[in-house]
């Protein structure tokens, strides 16, 4: 390994073509500089300079190595500057996982704001279910996740509630109750339901089941779909009804699916479901710290 100090000393001699002037430029004595160039030539195994009474000249190899020395030091400086910006969280990479967020305008605006504020941080957004997100965060495969509530605490994951949204009933437009506005969930005890699979988001799934159980029944699930857009497509085709977050109202043509608010049961609060931002507390990424801080300042 060639020391950068030797490269800088060689560059000074190569540019001055005079050991005494190069030594003065480097603020050192001439003999140690001559010895340093000799050590560099020994390390390389070839001569860099031709020395005679008339002065100093670069050998052909020396001229070629001078370009290498310039590039090496320039790349080192660039690397140091990049590492410094990564340390400050203004450069680097940030992997974001999320459930389908196309209809969360405030969240999309926050992502755009972060990109505008930190344009040199490379954002990678991967759409996946909540349970898979938690695994990715714990495994260090992702930095930040936007997900539903998990059924159990997930190790070192920290969480912040971003949005508590209403749960609504999605009905085929031809359904008898599609035009009555607010609906009573108890009236759907004998209906067919379409659900997202429990394995993809146990907390979300459990909340919907608990809502049905509070209405006095266990839903008859006839079909499952991993994505809510697919689930709503099944509703539109008449497979059954579905409980979905209110953010998805308008995601399907209203002539095919009707979204109805759910009437509170026994004076309980209207059913809602949370959207959380989660991250691994052991993740020391400066870009992640800036991302979280940006959300904190929006409150």
């Amino acid at each position: 390994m060639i020391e950068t100090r030797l490269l800088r000393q060689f560059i000074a001699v190569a540019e001055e073509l005079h050991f005494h002037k190069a030594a003065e430029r480097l603020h050192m004595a001439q003999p140690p500089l001559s010895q340093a160039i000799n050590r560099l030539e020994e390390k390389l195994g070839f001569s860099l300079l031709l020395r005679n009474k008339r002065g100093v000249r670069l050998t052909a190899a020396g001229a070629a190595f001078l370009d290498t020395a310039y590039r090496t030091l320039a790349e080192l400086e660039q690397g140091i500057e990049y590492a410094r910006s990564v340390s400050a969280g203004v450069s680097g990479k940030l992997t974001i996982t999320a459930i389908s967020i196309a209809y969360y305008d405030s969240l999309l605006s926050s992502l755009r704001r972060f990109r505008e504020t930190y344009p040199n941080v490379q954002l990678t957004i991967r759409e996946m279910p909540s349970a898979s997100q938690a695994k990715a965060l714990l495994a260090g495969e992702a930095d930040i996740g936007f997900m539903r509530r998990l059924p159990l605490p997930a190790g070192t994951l920290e969480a912040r509630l971003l949005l508590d949204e209403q749960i609504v009933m999605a009905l085929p437009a031809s359904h008898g109750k599609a035009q009555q506005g607010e609906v009573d969930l108890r009236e759907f005890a004998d209906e067919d339901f379409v659900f997202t699979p429990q394995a993809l988001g146990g907390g979300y799934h459990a909340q919907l089941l608990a809502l049905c159980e509070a209405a006095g029944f266990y839903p008859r699930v006839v079909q499952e779909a991993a994505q809510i857009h697919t689930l709503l497509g099944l509703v539109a085709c008449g497979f059954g009804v579905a409980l979905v977050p209110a953010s998805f109202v308008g995601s399907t043509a209203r002539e095919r699916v009707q979204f109805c608010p759910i009437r509170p049961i026994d004076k309980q609060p209207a059913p809602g479901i949370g959207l959380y931002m989660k991250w691994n507390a052991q993740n020391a990424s400066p870009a992640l710290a800036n991302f979280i801080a940006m959300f904190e300042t929006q409150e």
Side-chain angles (χ1 to χ4, degrees), residues 167 185 206-217 243 262 265 269-272:
I167 297 174
L185 185 57
Q207 282 183 273
L208 298 185
L209 287 182
L211 180 60
C212 293
E213 289 172 354
F217 70 95
L243 296 166
I262 298 173
I265 299 173

Side-chain angles (χ1 to χ4, degrees), residues 34-280:
S34 297
Q35 294 167 8
I37 298 302
N38 289 335
R39 288 199 306 275
L40 177 59
E41 290 178 318
E42 290 175 4
K43 284 177 176 288
L44 294 173
F46 53 81
S47 296
L48 297 170
L49 302 167
L50 294 173
R51 307 161 179 85
N52 54 45
K53 293 180 179 180
R54 289 177 293 179
V56 177
R57 290 188 297 116
L58 287 169
T59 64
F65 185 70
L66 180 60
D67 289 337
T68 299
Y70 283 140
R71 287 197 307 271
T72 300
L73 292 180
E75 290 174 2
L76 177 61
E77 290 301 322
Q78 292 171 2
I80 291 172
E81 188 59 34
Y82 177 71
R84 183 178 291 112
S85 66
V86 169
S87 176
V90 298
S91 292
K93 299 178 181 180
L94 203 63
T95 299
I96 298 170
T97 59
I99 58 173
S100 181
I101 58 174
Y103 295 92
Y104 292 97
D105 290 340
S106 61
L107 178 54
L108 293 173
S109 295
S110 295
L111 292 175
R112 184 179 66 249
R113 178 187 168 200
F114 181 84
R115 183 169 182 175
E116 292 171 349
T117 305
Y118 301 100
N120 293 323
V121 175
Q122 179 184 336
L123 295 181
T124 300
I125 301 177
R126 298 161 53 194
E127 191 171 292
M128 60 177 65
S130 297
S132 299
Q133 289 189 58
K135 292 179 181 178
L137 291 173
L138 290 171
E141 298 169 355
D143 298 294
I144 198 82
F146 295 96
M147 66 184 77
R148 301 300 179 186
R149 180 176 65 86
L150 298 173
L152 297 171
T156 56
L157 294 190
E158 299 282 346
R160 176 174 180 247
L161 178 63
L162 297 180
L163 175 67
D164 190 15
E165 57 183 317
Q166 186 180 5
I167 297 174
V168 297
M169 180 69 76
L171 304 170
S174 59
H175 194 283
K177 296 183 175 63
Q179 304 302 322
Q180 72 179 46
E182 193 176 62
V183 297
D184 188 331
L185 185 57
R186 290 172 292 195
E187 296 177 356
F188 293 83
D190 296 325
E191 296 270 1
D192 291 338
F193 277 79
V194 289
F195 260 64
T196 54
Q198 180 178 6
L200 298 183
Y204 173 68
H205 193 273
Q207 282 183 273
L208 298 185
L209 287 182
L211 180 60
C212 293
E213 289 172 354
F217 70 95
Y218 191 90
R220 184 172 65 240
V221 179
V222 297
Q223 187 66 49
E224 292 183 333
Q227 300 292 334
I228 291 184
H229 289 97
T230 303
L231 184 147
L232 292 174
L234 294 174
V235 172
C237 292
F239 276 71
V241 301
L243 296 166
V244 299
S247 295
F248 288 86
V249 173
S251 62
T252 300
R254 295 302 294 265
E255 65 269 14
R256 300 176 61 212
V257 177
Q258 185 69 33
F259 298 90
C260 300
I262 298 173
R263 187 177 302 125
I265 299 173
D266 298 330
K267 299 182 179 180
Q268 294 295 316
I273 196 160
L275 176 66
Y276 295 84
M277 179 173 72
K278 296 193 177 186
W279 64 94
N280 192 335

